[in-house]
Amino acid sequence: MKMASVVNDKGEMNFATVSEFVDNATDAGMSVYGHTLAWHSQQPVKWLNSLLADKPAPIPEGGANACIVYDCGDAGANPWDKQAHYKLPIPMEKGKTYVVKARVKADNGGDFGLWPIWDASPNRDQWGGSADVSYQASYPITSSFSDLEWTFEAPFPIDKLQFVFGKIGGKVYIDDLSCKEKGSDAEMVKNGSFDEDSMDGWGNNWNGPSFSIEGQAAGPATFFVSLINNGDMEGDEASNFAKKENAGTTVYEITDGVGKNGSRGVKIASNGGQPDAWESQFWIVSNEVLHIGDKIHVAFDYRADGGCAGTNVDTQAHFGPGEYQHWACAGTVSFSNEWQTYDKIFTVDASMAKQDDKGMKSIAFNMSPNAADGTYYIDNVVLEIEKSGDGIPLTPEERKDTLTWAMEKWIAGMMEACDEGVYALQHGTPDNTTDFFWQDADKLGDLDYVRTAVRLARQYGPEDIKLFINDYNLESDWDQNNKLKSLIAWIKRWEADGVTKIDGIGSQMHISCYANPTTQASKKAAIENMLKLMASSGKLCRISELDMGYVDADGNSVKTVDMTEEIIPVNQQWGICQWCATDAPADSGWRKGEPVGLWDSNYYRKHTYAGFADGLAGK
């Protein structure tokens, strides 16, 4: 019953063994104590982690980019076992310096190198000397595109760019191939970005992999990743916010009702008339160190009142709060009485990061430019850093929603597998040609056949119509009323769409009275339990059909012609005496407080009176 035993690495869930185990335990009169539903151990880790994988980079406007793809099959033992080449239309000139660039990735990663050659050399097939091959560097590549570059002086008239990747298995992708003489803008490669379908110039070696042009998402995507927690201030965490108090000039708190639209927000009370604007400060603190060149996005909603309204608050670059780096950072914030939104993107420079020997971690806001006392309010804070990659990480909200979905799928399946008595609905079989099952999978299905019937009945029926689910054997004692329990469970499923409404449950009680006292007691208990279950469902309860036969002590149904009401022959019947006319009082000496009379204690005639009278009349 552990998650890893039920859910495989693809997220497929098989509860068959769980259901069989629960059924066997139930049949044996045993109860089952289930295993943990959410634990750190024995989970389908591969599947759960796959749910949190980066989203694919968006396809750019104008369609997907393309690249040339080499299908390598299994990895080889040597770098030269798998090669690709591009034949230059015009060869490189000996002694000149050239720059070759390419964007490359591989499904399984590995080493990717460049060995330019002189294919027209008379010694081309001898491979005996370095005069025919210019061995350039190999670079490790991953499943994300890497920008590779080789700068070299041509030792001979190079006419072919030979790429080697023999130890890589799977597919290798090459895009944006460029070859230029250093200092020149003249491109020597045709269709290096594969904007056209032509593969002219491309080939492979004698045992090389097959290749084709395939569409790919264009390059690394850029996206912003959050650097703080609780930016919306709806929680209590304040690890990414800080304050400075000089002689009580700043009071800062996250509290209810002060944010935009009455939500939680930051409230900063500031005394006026301070000698310098930085006498009181408020910080937004990053979870990671920021470096030169990092592109940062900061945004928040803000307003002020009292002496703080109408002030201009400058920002500074700090490492930790109070560790000053530079007087200018994210610009100036102009506060007023009305809510506004501040939104700015800036790049960390050498002044902010102290030549990057330390970096930068926080933005300080100088909260003391006000001449009089007042209050600042800040809400919905965003601090993000731009990243790039072939995929886009899920946001915290997306990660939470995804894992909630996975947990719900798992727990719902386990609860259903362990739910004794949720019977499958009856369906048709190939040899059944006399019945029509609306609920068959190739018709309306288990859910929609009831939902549709209810919807149409309410659409075409009177406004006050009452709709019942009517069924038989709900009083069954052989399965502890499991059919009724199943029906109640199905009603919950049918109503789970939030639209379908079933008003009541109707019981078709085609029952018998049993001469065997043990059997009769079991049947009676099941009928009573049926009524309790129907009542606990909260639905209207109706005995929609009722008839009762008689079964003798041997288990045989008795026919009408064999039935008699004369348990005692007439010539032996000598009378009946009702002991108590009324119910016994609470202080009675005989069966005190019990309903033993034909009348109640106030002499109102009870239902038992009618039954007693009918019996005497032979009805």
Side-chain angles (χ1 to χ4, degrees):
M1 301 178 75
K2 298 170 183 175
M3 190 173 183
S5 301
V6 175
V7 187
N8 65 19
D9 287 341
K10 296 180 180 179
E12 298 166 339
M13 300 185 182
N14 185 351
F15 292 96
T17 303
V18 175
S19 297
E20 182 181 5
F21 170 66
V22 172
D23 290 342
N24 290 339
T26 302
D27 292 343
M30 303 171 66
S31 59
V32 175
Y33 184 85
H35 208 275
T36 178
L37 294 173
W39 189 28
H40 68 275
S41 182
Q42 297 178 339
Q43 306 295 309
V45 176
K46 186 174 181 180
W47 175 60
L48 293 173
N49 283 331
S50 73
L51 298 178
L52 303 178
D54 292 350
K55 296 177 291 186
I59 294 176
E61 185 177 353
N65 192 18
C67 63
I68 197 161
V69 181
Y70 280 80
D71 194 347
C72 301
D74 295 333
N78 307 293
W80 55 84
D81 286 346
K82 302 289 173 63
Q83 301 179 23
H85 67 248
Y86 176 76
K87 185 71 174 288
L88 291 167
I90 301 175
M92 298 180 186
E93 295 183 29
K94 179 180 178 180
K96 290 188 176 182
T97 300
Y98 292 86
V99 179
V100 175
K101 296 180 180 180
R103 296 180 58 249
V104 186
K105 72 175 183 177
D107 288 341
N108 300 321
D111 290 331
F112 186 94
L114 172 63
W115 295 356
I117 64 174
W118 181 16
D119 194 47
S121 168
N123 300 320
R124 164 70 178 84
D125 295 326
Q126 297 180 16
W127 295 96
S130 61
D132 294 328
V133 183
S134 178
Y135 297 96
Q136 301 300 316
S138 291
Y139 295 103
I141 60 174
T142 67
S143 58
S144 298
F145 274 111
S146 299
D147 293 305
L148 308 184
E149 180 176 328
W150 298 270
T151 301
F152 57 94
E153 181 181 315
F156 43 79
I158 292 172
D159 58 0
K160 185 179 286 186
L161 300 178
Q162 190 96 330
F163 300 103
V164 294
F165 41 87
K167 293 185 177 182
I168 296 179
K171 291 184 177 181
V172 173
Y173 307 78
I174 305 173
D175 195 8
D176 295 334
L177 177 64
S178 170
C179 180
K180 297 178 182 179
E181 183 182 348
K182 187 174 182 179
S184 172
D185 292 330
E187 179 59 66
M188 300 174 65
V189 175
K190 294 183 178 180
N191 194 31
S193 59
F194 305 99
D195 294 332
E196 303 172 4
D197 292 335
S198 173
M199 291 187 289
D200 289 349
W202 285 95
N204 52 21
N205 67 339
W206 57 93
N207 63 338
S210 62
F211 59 95
S212 61
I213 292 179
E214 296 183 9
Q216 297 290 313
T222 57
F223 46 87
F224 281 98
V225 176
S226 178
L227 294 168
I228 61 173
N229 304 317
N230 195 33
D232 61 4
M233 307 297 171
E234 293 307 305
D236 294 321
E237 185 177 352
S239 59
N240 295 108
F241 309 100
K243 66 181 184 298
K244 166 185 170 184
E245 297 185 37
N246 284 354
T249 58
T250 304
V251 178
Y252 142 74
E253 59 180 333
I254 298 177
T255 187
D256 294 332
V258 302
K260 190 174 183 180
N261 300 320
S263 64
R264 287 173 65 82
V266 175
K267 178 181 179 181
I268 307 169
S270 179
N271 291 348
Q274 302 304 311
D276 296 298
W278 57 83
E279 286 296 317
S280 59
Q281 293 178 311
F282 173 76
W283 285 272
I284 302 175
V285 185
S286 168
N287 286 329
E288 65 180 66
V289 176
L290 312 179
H291 299 285
I292 295 173
D294 286 343
K295 186 180 287 187
I296 306 301
H297 174 220
V298 59
F300 48 86
D301 296 317
Y302 66 102
R303 77 172 188 90
D305 60 24
C308 295
T311 59
N312 293 324
V313 171
D314 293 326
T315 60
Q316 298 176 344
H318 286 214
F319 185 72
E323 297 181 79
Y324 173 80
Q325 303 271 61
H326 191 56
W327 57 269
C329 186
T332 299
V333 186
S334 298
F335 281 84
S336 70
N337 287 308
E338 301 297 326
W339 280 104
Q340 304 175 74
T341 299
Y342 189 79
D343 198 313
K344 185 176 180 64
I345 293 176
F346 68 93
T347 301
V348 177
D349 60 26
S351 298
M352 298 177 191
K354 286 293 185 184
Q355 302 299 328
D356 229 14
D357 61 340
K358 190 170 187 178
M360 169 188 164
K361 274 202 77 173
S362 56
I363 302 173
F365 294 80
N366 298 330
M367 310 298 282
S368 297
N370 46 302
D373 294 354
T375 306
Y376 300 99
Y377 303 93
I378 298 177
D379 195 8
N380 301 318
V381 179
V382 173
L383 184 65
E384 300 175 318
I385 184 171
E386 186 180 75
K387 302 280 188 179
S388 66
D390 290 328
I392 301 176
L394 301 182
T395 65
E397 293 77 14
E398 289 171 332
R399 292 172 67 88
K400 183 176 181 180
D401 288 346
T402 299
L403 290 180
T404 299
W405 167 83
M407 181 178 286
E408 180 177 0
K409 181 181 179 183
W410 151 246
I411 293 179
M414 179 58 75
M415 293 300 99
E416 183 174 348
C418 295
D419 189 359
E420 305 167 35
V422 181
Y423 295 153
L425 299 184
Q426 186 177 3
H427 294 98
T429 58
D431 58 347
N432 187 336
T433 60
T434 59
D435 299 313
F436 187 88
F437 292 88
W438 296 88
Q439 62 267 37
D440 280 353
D442 61 346
K443 299 182 177 71
L444 295 183
D446 288 345
L447 296 177
D448 282 343
Y449 100 98
V450 169
R451 290 173 176 174
T452 302
V454 170
R455 175 178 60 80
L456 294 175
R458 296 200 185 280
Q459 178 179 345
Y460 294 106
E463 291 186 1
D464 59 350
I465 190 173
K466 301 296 183 186
L467 300 178
F468 286 71
I469 296 291
N470 197 48
D471 212 342
Y472 60 90
N473 280 346
L474 303 186
E475 75 289 343
S476 53
D477 63 337
W478 58 87
D479 66 351
Q480 295 79 47
N481 300 100
N482 238 22
K483 187 173 184 181
L484 175 55
K485 295 174 186 176
S486 293
L487 179 58
I488 294 172
W490 274 105
I491 289 174
K492 291 178 180 178
R493 295 179 185 180
W494 291 322
E495 293 184 331
D497 61 356
V499 177
T500 303
K501 175 63 177 176
I502 296 168
D503 298 297
I505 299 173
S507 175
Q508 303 174 17
M509 290 183 63
H510 306 294
I511 59 176
S512 294
C513 179
Y514 290 81
N516 184 304
T518 301
T519 302
Q520 181 61 18
S522 176
K523 300 296 182 182
K524 179 181 178 182
I527 292 172
E528 292 176 349
N529 194 46
M530 176 197 74
L531 296 172
K532 291 176 182 177
L533 288 169
M534 290 172 67
S536 66
S537 73
K539 301 297 183 182
L540 299 176
C541 303
R542 175 182 174 86
I543 306 302
S544 54
E545 303 174 26
L546 177 62
D547 53 52
M548 185 169 67
Y550 182 75
V551 178
D552 64 21
D554 295 325
N556 301 312
S557 295
V558 179
K559 304 300 183 183
T560 302
V561 295
D562 297 322
M563 290 293 294
T564 176
E565 296 181 3
E566 295 183 358
I567 298 175
I568 299 176
V570 173
N571 62 351
Q572 294 178 255
Q573 296 174 5
W574 192 247
I576 297 174
C577 179
Q578 169 67 18
W579 180 260
C580 299
T582 65
D583 291 343
D587 58 353
S588 174
W590 175 254
R591 306 190 73 172
K592 59 180 65 177
E594 294 187 31
V596 292
L598 299 181
W599 290 264
D600 66 14
S601 58
N602 294 315
Y603 288 95
Y604 284 102
R605 206 163 58 187
K606 296 164 52 178
H607 293 297
T608 43
Y609 178 93
F612 199 86
D614 288 345
L616 291 175
K619 295 181 180 180

